[in-house]
Amino acid sequence: MTQLEIKRSDFNQYMVPLFAPAAFIPVKGEGSRLWDQQGREYLDFAGGIAVNALGHAHPVAVQALTEQAQKLWHIGNGYTNEPVLRLAKQMVEHTFADKVFFCNSGAEANEAALKLARKVGLLSGIEGKNQIVAFHNSFHGRTLFTVSAGGQPKYSKDFAPLPEGIHHIAFNDLDAAKAVINEKTCAVIVEPVQGEGGVIPANLEFLKGLRQLCDETGAVLIFDEVQTGVGRTGSLYAYMNMGVTPDILTTAKALGGGFPIGAMLTTDQFANQYAVGDHGTTYGGNPLASAVAGAVFEFINRDSVLDGVQQRHEYYVEKLKQLNEKFDLFDEIRGAGLLIGCVLKTQYHGKAKDINTLCGEEGLLALIAGPNIIRFTPSLIIPFADIDEGLVRFEKALERFVVTQKG
Ligand code: PLP
């Protein structure tokens, strides 16, 4: 293919204006470091939004991808394939699930889960058992059904009419849940840690209470682990550390370590209520994606890696607290594992994006979670030396931010 010269301004000229990317274009990555077109180096605390769990170009993922690339790329779901069956076996063996459905993204995994819950409600024979309970601030993806389930109206308000029968209540408020969940409820969908909504962990009593309410009313409990899954919080899936097991779990992001893949996991009881043709996908369970995910899943699902996530969490939080002693910008440093949020004090509300831009200028990729929170979701195996170096750059960005606030 001819190599066209590419500039950042091409984005505005050729791309649908749905994103506002940074001023630089990364062209190469290795581990937790990236380089842009000018050869400038960046530390990566964003991980492609909680995706690059092994960093960039990890040899295990590269090997799985290149080996599979020489055998079979795509076959479609009229045939099955070895990598997808291997991956499904791995996931079933290491989770509560009996069955897996594969797709390409988190939104699609949630779409499959919500449709399954509606089908389960229908087959229950209880009239009107199709109501879905979801939470304020939650994020479940960008399809029409998932923006409607998500609890952030800014993502759905322009796209009415929206799917009906979805009730939003306060997160971590068990009394609100008790008031709304009833025999007409077919599903409750919840993130164990709200990611996009502000890095807000669910409290255990709340999740246990949801489990009990779902058991009492025959509703399906869906854990959206698209962001928290595959080691992100220090266990393979967050539910494993919470003493609450969902009926359906959705996973994506880190599952492919950077190769697009999503999955819905469930038990035989629910899986078998879907019949051939009820739902589908062209690419889901594609051999390339499945081969990479199989290698990534196996690599992460080891004590050494999962314990390392917790050690890195403690290391980050300690260092971030020290930075906060210096700058006094954050009310709280919160999150789980390597999903960490720095919550700006009220007087700095709305400024997370400004800080993030300064981070980029200082050679650090970070994220925001709404207007008031800086979010870090680095590689699960980021070297401690890279954490140190990235935090030095973060410190420089904060120093510059503080100056702008005084001026
Ligand atoms: N669910 C959660 C909890 C997420 O954080 C996201 C993405 O940020 C999604 C679903 C949607 O995933 P995707 O962007 O892969 O469709």
Side-chain angles (χ1 to χ4, degrees):
M1 200 174 129
T2 38
Q3 289 294 318
L4 296 173
E5 199 202 329
I6 295 299
K7 318 178 277 313
R8 170 61 179 79
S9 56
D10 291 332
F11 182 90
N12 298 6
Q13 189 169 349
Y14 296 109
M15 303 285 277
V16 176
L18 283 166
F19 303 102
F24 55 91
I25 301 183
V27 293
K28 181 176 149 55
E30 196 182 315
S32 285
R33 285 165 196 259
L34 284 163
W35 291 268
D36 70 12
Q37 290 176 306
Q38 283 69 40
R40 187 161 182 240
E41 183 220 66
Y42 299 81
L43 261 298
D44 186 359
F45 282 7
I49 321 186
V51 166
N52 301 313
L54 304 184
H56 298 276
H58 192 282
V60 164
V62 171
Q63 189 184 346
L65 181 64
T66 48
E67 274 180 16
Q68 187 58 41
Q70 291 170 37
K71 292 190 209 155
L72 181 68
W73 287 31
H74 183 74
I75 188 75
N77 283 303
Y79 310 86
T80 191
N81 65 77
E82 290 182 356
V84 80
L85 294 177
R86 224 171 267 131
L87 176 61
K89 272 187 175 182
Q90 274 172 278
M91 295 181 83
V92 164
E93 197 173 312
H94 294 286
T95 66
F96 75 98
D98 301 314
K99 296 275 196 293
V100 190
F101 164 77
F102 289 102
C103 49
N104 314 291
S105 66
E108 285 170 88
N110 285 326
E111 189 81 21
L114 293 166
K115 282 175 72 178
L116 176 56
R118 283 263 166 95
K119 181 90 196 274
V120 169
L122 181 75
L123 294 180
S124 73
I126 299 169
E127 207 191 317
K129 191 170 180 64
N130 52 30
Q131 303 293 297
I132 293 165
V133 173
F135 297 93
H136 294 317
N137 259 336
S138 62
F139 186 82
H140 300 299
R142 300 297 200 122
T143 64
L144 200 59
F145 204 171
T146 55
V147 283
S148 307
Q152 301 185 54
K154 65 181 178 195
Y155 295 128
S156 60
K157 67 178 174 43
D158 293 347
F159 307 109
L162 303 176
E164 294 172 1
I166 303 171
H167 308 271
H168 293 100
I169 56 174
F171 186 61
N172 274 333
D173 183 343
L174 194 52
D175 288 334
K178 281 181 186 153
V180 71
I181 296 171
N182 59 39
E183 72 285 355
K184 304 277 188 205
T185 309
C186 70
V188 176
I189 181 165
V190 65
E191 294 160 85
V193 180
Q194 285 192 334
E196 307 293 317
V199 191
I200 309 169
N203 69 51
L204 288 190
E205 288 318 303
F206 173 67
L207 292 179
K208 284 183 184 152
L210 292 183
R211 176 70 276 175
Q212 193 181 342
L213 288 166
C214 286
D215 289 341
E216 287 165 7
T217 58
V220 171
L221 181 61
I222 304 170
F223 274 11
D224 177 345
E225 292 228 31
V226 167
Q227 189 148 168
T228 55
V230 201
R232 177 63 48 196
T233 67
S235 51
L236 181 63
Y237 284 97
Y239 83 86
M240 295 172 172
N241 227 357
M242 296 179 140
V244 180
T245 304
D247 301 307
I248 299 178
L249 181 149
T250 54
T251 176
K253 288 194 182 280
L255 182 58
F259 202 99
I261 184 168
M264 178 194 73
L265 283 66
T266 188
T267 58
D268 276 331
Q269 180 192 350
F270 298 109
N272 293 337
Q273 300 194 40
Y274 258 158
V276 173
D278 276 353
H279 189 61
T281 160
T282 296
Y283 278 124
N286 162 291
L288 277 180
S290 302
V292 178
V296 170
F297 190 89
E298 185 177 14
F299 188 96
I300 291 173
N301 192 22
R302 294 180 295 160
D303 288 345
S304 56
V305 174
L306 296 172
D307 293 348
V309 172
Q310 191 49 33
Q311 286 155 12
R312 285 165 177 77
H313 171 88
E314 282 153 27
Y315 193 75
Y316 258 108
V317 169
E318 186 49 41
K319 294 230 154 191
L320 287 167
K321 281 186 177 157
Q322 285 168 16
L323 280 184
N324 202 32
E325 273 166 29
K326 180 165 173 193
F327 295 111
D328 198 27
L329 291 170
F330 306 121
D331 263 338
E332 199 185 349
I333 316 286
R334 68 187 178 206
L338 288 172
L339 172 51
I340 297 170
C342 306
V343 185
L344 285 169
K345 285 179 173 272
T346 321
Q347 63 265 42
Y348 304 115
H349 274 190
K351 300 284 169 74
K353 203 165 191 310
D354 298 347
I355 294 177
N356 199 24
T357 303
L358 292 171
C359 288
E361 290 174 13
E362 291 301 330
L364 175 69
L365 268 60
L367 291 170
I368 60 174
N372 311 324
I373 289 156
I374 305 289
R375 178 173 39 146
F376 298 137
T377 55
S379 154
L380 304 184
I381 54 170
I382 182 171
F384 285 90
D386 286 358
I387 300 178
D388 286 341
E389 205 172 325
L391 287 175
V392 168
R393 297 178 190 191
F394 189 49
E395 183 171 1
K396 286 188 185 144
L398 295 183
E399 234 154 38
R400 284 177 58 196
F401 174 71
V402 168
V403 171
T404 64
Q405 294 309 292
K406 283 184 186 142

